[in-house]
Structure formats: C-alpha cells, structure tokens
Amino acid sequence: MLLLDGKKTAQQIKEEIQEAVRLRKAKGLRIPHLAAVLVGNDGASLTYVGSKVRSCERIGIHSTLIQLEENITEEALLAQIESLNANPDIDGYIVQLPLPKHIDEQRVLLAVAPEKDVDGFHPLNFGRMALELEAFIPATPFGIIELLKRYQIPTSGKHCVVIGRSHIVGRPISILMSQKGPAGNATVTLAHSRTENLKALTLQADIIVSALGIPEFLKADMVKDGVIVIDVGITRVPDAAATKGYVIKGDVAYEEVAAKAQAITPVPGGVGPMTIAMLLENTLLACQRKDALAN
Ligand code: NAD
C-alpha cells in the first residue's frame, strides 16, 4: 500500500514557492501578499486561518489577518472587501467561511475581485476552470490534482467516484478529473446525498474521492481491492482522552480500507496540508499574473 503523504508533498511545494519568492526578491520584484478575512471567533475557522497565515510567514510571503467582529454588518464587510480589491499591495485574499448567519455569503464572495480570488470561489474563476481557461482553482481540488500528479497515479480511463457535490470540493474535483491532462481523463461519477445504492458505485471505482464529512463513512466492504482513495473529510470527533478534547477523523475507515487499497491519503496529513500549500501557490500565481498584466 502506497501512502499518499500530503504533509511531505505540501512541504516540497512550499519549498518550491519559497524559492520562487526568494528569486523574486533577488530580482527586486514584489513579495506576494495574502490577506485573510475572519469574521467572528469560530474555533475551527481561527485554527484554519492561523495555519494559513503562519505558512505564509514561514515561506516569506507577506500576510495580513483582518479579524472582524461577529456582529459586523454586511455593508461594513463589503466595504472591507472593496478596500482589499482596491489595495495594490494585496495580491490575493480569502474570506474564511462560514460567515455569520446574518451575512449573505454569496453576495460577499461575488464582491471579491476575480484576480484576487485565490480561493477560486468566484463564478468567473469557477467558469474559467470548467472551460479549461487560466483560473484560480479552489485550493482543495487543486491540492488533490497536485498530489495525484506528483505520485504519478494513473487516472486516464479510470473510473473515479467522487462522494459529495460541494462547490468547494466535490463538484470542482469531478470537473477537473474529467478534463484532459495530467490527473485527468477519468470517467467520473459524482455521488451525493440523493445517490441510490452508493456501494454499487464505489465497488466499481478505481479511484474514490470522499468529501462528505461523515467520519469513517467509507468502509472496506464498499471498495474493491487495489482502489486508490483520497480522503478529504475532516471532522472533529469529541474524545475525552485527547488533550484538545477531540480527534480529527476522515471520511474513510482508514485501517480497514488501507488494507485493500493500492494507495490512500491519511487524515490528518493528506489533503489538509495540500490545501494550504495550494493556497500559497495561488497567491504566488496572483502576484505573477499581476506583474504580467502590468508589463
Ligand atoms: P459539504 O459539507 O458542503 O457537503 C457534503 C456533501 O456530501 C454534500 O454534497 C452531500 O450531498 C454529500 N453527502 C452527505 N451525506 C451523504 C451520503 N450519505 N452519501 C453520499 N453523499 C453524501 O462538503 P464540503 O464542504 O466539501 O466538506 C466535506 C468534508 O471535507 C468535510 O469534512 C470538510 O470538513 C472537509 N473539507 C476538507 C478540506 C481539506 O482541506 N482537507 C477542505 C474542505 C472541506
């Protein structure tokens, strides 16, 4: 069984970005600058944003964390977005989701300037991605594609079952893996909560990408021998014995599925670190594209 080590691969990617940033600096070019907008004090969101900002610092990318009160009005948040759009020093930024209930998430994401949308959530980027044009690809599917490429996992002609149809993971990865090119050319089935007899589909799959958020949902009796499994799920499961009071679980019953798999990503240490690395990659790309436009 081959362990698809996202932690190690993400580290390599971050070193490559660090080198690219160092070269930019040596040439007198601008240092990429990522901003992150965090509304409220949600524990998981704080953890995610914190690790994104720390990763920037480690590899020499500038970062700014904008923390806003939970009760901020939608108009005030949109004003903040407008000022980030107008700020020439910011190459890209993210708005950490979820936003508080009183704020219209769609309206906020639509306000993000597409050329600074390093999360790739704006419809312009999503549409361009679907049409195989230059775009910002959402960091998690981008990370999955990169992991498959770097481990040279054959995908062409293979049957890939994606479980989960979210706009940030399931749907984009289903589009990317069906496209031409490396880590593409797969025959993709997109399964979701209304799918009937999911097990009959997963049993036929050469590759399974699981992104539904139910801990240990995918069991050994749902996969065939030699399957390749990408586990996107991250769920905090309460555990009194753990120092933090919870443990992180993926969507896959790891031990039993790994015993049948040809290759598998662990949780933690799989898709999670790849997501952060690809956000940094998108920030570098945003900076490079901005330079290209200016010349
Ligand atoms: P989501 O939570 O928005 O939606 C879940 C999807 O799963 C839906 O499309 C739903 O149709 C499907 N689903 C639910 N129950 C199902 C069932 N019984 N059978 C088949 N499909 C079912 O999805 P999301 O935002 O993509 O998140 C999914 C998981 O991935 C979560 O655990 C999330 O924390 C994790 N995640 C991880 C990363 C990372 O960097 N590793 C990034 C994003 C999300």
Side-chain angles (χ1 to χ4, degrees):
M1 190 274 294
L2 172 67
L3 185 83
L4 302 173
D5 190 336
K7 197 173 169 192
K8 198 173 89 189
T9 310
Q11 187 53 37
Q12 282 164 3
I13 295 168
K14 286 195 269 186
E15 281 166 18
E16 290 162 17
I17 300 170
Q18 186 169 24
E19 179 60 11
V21 172
R22 197 190 61 74
L23 283 174
R24 285 185 67 84
K25 205 172 173 180
K27 286 185 198 156
L29 296 170
R30 277 178 328 102
I31 304 297
H33 190 164
L34 174 77
V37 179
L38 176 65
V39 183
N41 294 308
D42 176 65
S45 294
L46 266 169
T47 309
Y48 293 144
V49 168
S51 65
K52 289 169 187 173
V53 169
R54 273 195 307 280
S55 295
C56 284
E57 285 161 9
R58 281 197 207 105
I59 66 166
I61 287 184
H62 291 161
S63 64
T64 301
L65 174 59
I66 300 165
Q67 264 189 288
L68 303 168
E69 296 292 331
E70 174 88 23
N71 61 3
I72 188 172
T73 64
E74 190 171 300
E75 296 314 317
L77 177 57
L78 287 168
Q80 184 69 61
I81 300 288
E82 279 314 317
S83 93
L84 285 167
N85 287 345
N87 185 343
D89 192 42
I90 302 288
D91 294 290
Y93 66 96
I94 58 167
V95 181
Q96 185 65 41
L97 302 179
L99 291 171
K101 295 263 178 295
H102 66 278
I103 292 175
D104 179 349
E105 218 161 78
Q106 279 306 327
R107 196 169 167 218
V108 172
L109 295 181
L110 277 169
V112 175
E115 69 277 12
K116 296 193 178 189
D117 170 38
V118 284
D119 256 340
F121 293 165
H122 191 283
L124 192 88
N125 278 311
F126 201 94
R128 291 182 65 91
M129 175 200 72
L131 294 171
E132 301 179 53
L133 298 169
E134 185 179 271
F136 290 111
I137 297 172
T140 304
F142 195 7
I144 296 170
I145 293 290
E146 198 58 30
L147 196 62
L148 292 170
K149 271 195 210 168
R150 291 190 183 226
Y151 276 95
Q152 298 180 357
I153 301 292
T155 55
S156 181
K158 304 294 180 194
H159 182 201
C160 174
V161 173
V162 176
I163 313 174
R165 58 180 163 187
S166 74
H167 294 168
I168 62 168
V169 188
R171 193 172 304 274
I173 194 67
S174 74
I175 293 170
L176 292 167
M177 290 191 69
S178 69
Q179 288 178 342
K180 290 180 184 163
N185 288 314
T187 304
V188 179
T189 300
L190 181 55
H192 46 77
S193 53
R194 301 288 180 96
T195 297
E196 291 179 4
N197 205 356
L198 178 65
K199 187 174 167 181
L201 294 169
T202 53
L203 276 171
Q204 288 175 30
D206 303 305
I207 303 168
I208 298 174
V209 178
S210 187
L212 75 159
I214 301 179
E216 303 190 327
F217 174 86
L218 192 78
K219 305 273 196 272
D221 67 352
M222 296 170 75
V223 306
K224 69 178 182 186
D225 282 324
V227 67
I228 289 155
V229 180
I230 307 291
D231 187 354
V232 185
I234 298 179
T235 308
R236 289 182 173 193
V237 178
D239 183 342
T243 34
K244 288 182 177 166
Y246 64 85
V247 287
I248 299 289
K249 290 271 181 203
D251 286 351
V252 179
Y254 183 83
E255 297 297 335
E256 60 180 71
V257 173
K260 288 178 88 175
Q262 188 187 135
I264 187 166
T265 60
V267 175
V271 176
M274 290 299 292
T275 297
I276 295 195
M278 300 325 278
L279 172 67
L280 304 176
E281 174 74 21
N282 274 343
T283 306
L284 174 63
L285 284 172
C287 186
Q288 290 168 340
R289 287 173 189 170
K290 192 168 157 190
D291 285 356
L293 273 180
N295 291 326

